[in-house]
């Protein structure tokens, strides 16, 4: 009798604890990318980038290896919002849409200009949306266009854009979370911006095996949103790194400057004068792989001021001047010139953000809030009108720790350069 009862309980436990609501992998359409565009009639167009199962030439599934077809498929549908469009898309798919692995979200420029508030709620509310996803604005194009371009180096363009961002020194897998944090803080927001780039020089195929440059996705920079979550403008590729450095999120960056293009033409000048006249018009490139930012609010006058100290460590990667970099004083001159160059670029970007966008995308207000909470109570309500008039004192200090395998140029000395 005991054995019979035990057998019944064992069978029931196996039945009742099973995954009764599971969905097999073969029944799921895994979404890696999701895009939203705004149409002329006010309706939304959703685009999904789906993982395509490996298919053999005979039509059956492969267990491994490369497929003769593309690694992804793109599907779209109209809707009143994200969920409505997803439901309308589902009627065209033989598998259930599964957005749990969604890595990237794309926003068309027209939708960004109109405002993204109407579609952002689902990304923060649905448990199927990962907070550490990436979100991009497609400058001058639509999300559907960007998601339909096959990227040769990766099986899926949704993966490609994330890797491109990473290889540009920007943080990945958190731009959606950062946007929510900023929007609920200063009221502004920043998203990475993509562009659909055509080849700089068109080259025709001469044989079928040729592979000339093609239209592809590229990282444009960053899209800035105002307090109404409408697109205020862009920071291009040569500008977006300034915000990352100030906010301690820049991983690495290459900088190239023309030596002595604006300095006095005085041979043998001091480090403060950058380089000698013999190297005027030449270039030096450095790679900086360590960045540090220190922001100090100064609360002495009617308006606060900020002292911004930006430090970095790197090494010289290319020297197209006849300057002998085996001499420490010449390396110091390169440091001085780079500091001058970077300070000018950073101040220009700060002015652009203050005067054109009028949005505190650097977190200066948060710095006052943390260090001077009582003063911040007086400034918080009017910070959007105060920020454009804030004075910024920027100082850049680079430490170049290496000059490569050789200090002196391998090329013969020309144009009055230093031989020793």
């Amino acid at each position: 009798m005991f054995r019979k009862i035990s057998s019944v309980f064992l069978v029931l436990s196996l039945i009742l604890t099973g995954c009764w609501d599971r969905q097999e992998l073969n029944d799921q359409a895994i979404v890696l990318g999701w895009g939203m565009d705004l149409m002329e009639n006010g309706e939304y167009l959703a685009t999904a980038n789906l993982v395509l199962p490996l298919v053999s030439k005979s039509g059956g599934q492969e267990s491994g290896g490369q497929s003769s077809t593309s690694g992804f498929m793109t599907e779209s549908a109209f809707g009143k919002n994200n969920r409505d469009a997803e439901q309308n898309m589902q009627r065209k798919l033989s598998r259930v849409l599964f957005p749990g692995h969604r890595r990237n979200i794309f926003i068309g420029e027209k939708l960004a200009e109109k405002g993204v508030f109407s579609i952002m709620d689902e990304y923060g509310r649905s448990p199927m949306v990962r907070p550490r996803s990436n979100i991009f604005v497609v400058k001058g194009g639509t999300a559907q266009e960007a998601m339909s371009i096959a990227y040769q180096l990766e099986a899926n363009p949704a993966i490609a854009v994330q890797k491109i961002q990473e290889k540009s020194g920007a943080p990945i897998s958190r731009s959606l979370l950062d946007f929510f944090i900023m929007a609920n803080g200063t009221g502004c927001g920043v998203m990475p911006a993509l562009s659909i780039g055509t080849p700089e020089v068109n080259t025709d195929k001469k044989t079928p095996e040729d592979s000339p440059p093609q239209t592809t996705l590229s990282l444009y920079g960053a899209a800035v949103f105002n307090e109404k979550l409408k697109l205020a403008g862009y920071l291009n590729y040569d500008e977006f790194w300034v915000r990352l450095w100030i906010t301690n999120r820049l991983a690495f960056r290459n900088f190239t400057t023309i030596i002595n293009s604006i300095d006095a033409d005085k041979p043998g000048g001091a480090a403060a004068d950058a380089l000698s006249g013999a190297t005027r018009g030449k270039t030096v490139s450095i790679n900086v792989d360590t960045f540090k930012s220190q922001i100090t609010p100064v609360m002495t006058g009617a308006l606060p001021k900020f002292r911004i100290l930006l430090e970095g460590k790197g090494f010289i990667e290319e020297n197209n001047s006849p300057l002998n970099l085996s001499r420490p004083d010449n390396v110091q001159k390169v440091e001085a010139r780079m500091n001058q160059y970077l300070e000018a670029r950073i101040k220009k970007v700060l002015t652009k953000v203050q005067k054109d966008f009028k949005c505190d995308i650097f977190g200066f207000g948060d710095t006052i809030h943390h260090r001077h909470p009582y003063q911040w109570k007086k400034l918080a309500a009017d910070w959007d009108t105060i920020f454009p008039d804030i004075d910024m004192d920027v100082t850049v200090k680079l430490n170049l720790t290496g000059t490569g395998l050789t200090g002196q140029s391998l090329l013969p000395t020309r144009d009055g350069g230093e031989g020793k």
Side-chain angles (χ1 to χ4, degrees):
M1 183 68 179
F2 178 76
R3 288 184 177 180
K4 291 182 180 180
I5 295 175
S6 299
S7 300
V8 171
F9 276 109
L10 178 61
V11 172
L12 289 177
S13 64
L14 292 175
I15 296 175
L16 295 177
T17 60
C19 299
W20 59 271
D21 61 344
R22 75 174 186 268
Q23 288 208 345
E24 297 292 344
L25 185 61
N26 288 339
D27 293 330
Q28 296 179 359
I30 299 176
V31 180
L32 283 186
W34 183 264
M36 292 293 285
D37 290 303
L38 182 64
M39 310 307 293
E40 296 293 339
N41 60 359
E43 199 170 20
Y44 294 106
L45 174 65
T47 304
N49 190 298
L50 307 173
V51 176
L52 191 62
L54 296 178
V55 178
S56 65
K57 294 182 180 179
S58 61
Q61 291 188 358
E62 289 182 336
S63 59
Q66 286 287 348
S67 169
S68 59
T69 61
S70 174
F72 72 98
M73 67 171 288
T74 304
E75 192 54 81
S76 62
F78 292 108
K80 300 180 180 65
N81 55 26
N82 285 281
R83 299 299 294 173
D84 186 49
E86 181 179 330
Q87 178 176 264
N88 293 333
M89 189 184 299
Q90 185 62 67
R91 64 181 182 176
K92 296 188 284 185
L93 299 172
S94 60
R95 301 185 178 199
V96 177
L97 283 167
F98 180 74
H101 292 292
R102 179 164 51 187
R103 296 188 180 184
N104 298 304
I105 300 169
F106 300 83
I107 305 295
E109 187 175 64
K110 288 186 178 180
L111 175 56
E113 292 174 344
K114 184 71 174 180
V116 297
F117 176 81
S118 57
I119 66 164
M120 293 299 293
D121 182 80
E122 193 254 348
Y123 303 145
R125 186 181 301 274
S126 173
M128 297 302 291
V129 179
R130 301 193 306 178
R132 300 184 69 85
S133 300
N134 285 305
I135 186 166
F136 300 90
V137 173
V138 183
K139 183 182 184 299
T142 66
Q144 188 176 78
E145 291 173 339
M147 298 172 65
S148 301
I149 296 177
Y151 192 82
Q152 291 180 299
L153 289 177
E154 304 294 340
N156 195 303
I159 299 175
V161 294
Q162 183 170 321
K163 290 189 174 183
I164 292 173
Q165 186 184 12
E166 181 183 18
K167 300 308 182 290
S168 299
I172 61 171
S173 299
R174 61 168 298 144
S175 57
L176 178 61
L177 179 61
D178 286 343
F179 187 85
F180 279 124
I181 292 174
M182 291 187 64
N184 287 280
T186 61
C188 303
V190 177
M191 295 182 189
L194 302 172
S195 62
I196 302 173
T198 56
E200 285 76 5
V201 178
N202 290 319
T203 304
D204 297 330
K205 274 190 174 185
K206 294 182 175 59
T207 67
E209 291 76 21
D210 291 344
S211 180
Q214 301 176 11
T215 299
T216 186
L217 295 174
S218 63
L219 179 64
Y220 180 83
V224 179
F225 289 79
N226 59 25
E227 67 279 357
K228 295 182 180 180
L229 298 188
K230 294 183 178 181
L231 181 64
Y234 295 95
L235 296 176
N236 62 36
Y237 189 77
D238 291 327
E239 297 173 330
F240 86 102
W241 56 267
V242 173
R243 174 182 172 269
L244 296 179
W245 193 350
I246 292 176
T247 57
N248 275 316
R249 294 179 182 176
L250 186 59
F252 57 87
R253 180 80 181 184
N254 288 0
F255 300 107
T256 299
T257 184
I258 297 176
I259 298 303
N260 205 29
S261 61
I262 61 173
D263 298 311
D265 189 4
K266 298 178 180 178
D273 298 324
L275 301 181
S276 67
T279 61
R280 179 166 53 89
K282 307 301 181 180
T283 58
V284 173
S285 295
I286 66 172
N287 181 297
V288 182
D289 53 13
T290 302
F291 293 90
K292 183 179 179 181
S293 171
Q294 182 178 340
I295 302 174
T296 305
V298 181
M299 314 293 293
T300 55
L303 294 178
K305 299 179 181 180
F306 287 92
R307 288 198 299 265
I308 304 171
L309 174 60
L310 302 176
E311 299 176 284
K313 291 183 180 180
F315 52 92
I316 298 174
E317 284 194 319
E318 185 173 354
N319 174 32
N320 290 324
S321 75
L323 193 70
N324 185 358
L325 295 180
S326 63
R327 293 172 49 182
D329 59 326
N330 285 337
V331 176
Q332 292 176 6
K333 291 178 182 180
V334 175
E335 290 178 350
R337 180 65 187 98
M338 278 292 177
N339 290 339
Q340 293 173 356
Y341 166 74
L342 293 175
E343 285 177 9
R345 294 299 305 270
I346 292 168
K347 290 177 182 178
K348 185 176 181 180
V349 173
L350 286 171
T351 300
K352 177 178 179 178
V353 173
Q354 285 184 278
K355 303 303 180 182
D356 295 347
F357 304 152
K358 297 179 173 56
C359 291
D360 180 10
I361 62 174
F362 306 100
F364 293 134
D366 292 336
T367 303
I368 299 178
H369 187 195
H370 294 155
R371 298 192 182 185
H372 305 280
Y374 294 105
Q375 288 89 334
W376 176 246
K377 290 182 179 180
K378 302 176 183 178
L379 300 172
D382 301 319
W383 185 243
D384 55 341
T385 58
I386 295 174
F387 173 72
D389 298 321
I390 297 296
D391 290 334
M392 310 284 183
D393 181 18
V394 180
T395 302
V396 177
K397 291 184 179 180
L398 290 180
N399 180 16
L400 301 181
T401 58
T403 60
L405 296 178
T406 181
Q408 186 175 349
S409 176
L410 295 175
L411 299 176
T413 301
R414 293 288 188 272
D415 299 330
E418 301 165 334
K420 294 182 180 179

